């Protein structure tokens, strides 16, 4: 290998090693991820609720007994 190839390979290895060290998450990153997940869940829930209201049939949890349970 020439000196240039060795230097280039060394530089590439150093850059990859540097990126691995930067990918270690800390507590602030974990909090940001949890907040984003919570926001997505709330937004999706509100979207589904809005679509159900727009369709004119809101979903009720305790609307009545399920037909499978009453058929036993």
């Amino acid at each position: 290998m020439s000196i240039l190839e060795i230097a280039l390979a060394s530089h590439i290895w150093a850059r990859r090693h540097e990126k691995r060290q930067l990918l270690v998450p800390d507590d602030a990153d974990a909090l940001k991820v949890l907040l984003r997940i919570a926001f997505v869940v709330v937004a999706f829930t509100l979207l589904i609720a809005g679509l159900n209201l727009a369709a004119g049939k809101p979903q009720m949890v305790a609307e009545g007994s399920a037909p499978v349970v009453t058929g036993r």
Side-chain angles (χ1 to χ4, degrees):
M1 288 179 93
S2 71
I3 294 175
L4 182 60
E5 289 173 333
I6 293 171
L8 184 61
S10 175
H11 181 71
I12 291 172
W13 181 85
R15 295 283 293 178
R16 287 184 180 169
H17 187 67
E18 179 181 307
K19 286 182 182 178
R20 281 190 204 133
Q21 288 179 349
L22 294 176
L23 292 177
V24 177
D26 60 350
D27 292 339
D29 290 338
L31 182 62
K32 286 179 186 177
V33 169
L34 288 176
L35 286 174
R36 286 179 184 168
I37 290 172
F39 177 77
V40 168
V41 168
V42 168
F44 184 72
T45 303
L46 290 175
L47 174 69
I48 296 300
L51 290 173
N52 282 333
L53 286 175
K57 45 183 173 179
Q59 299 281 327
M60 294 292 198
V61 175
E63 209 169 272
S65 56
V68 176
V69 175
T70 57
R72 290 185 183 176

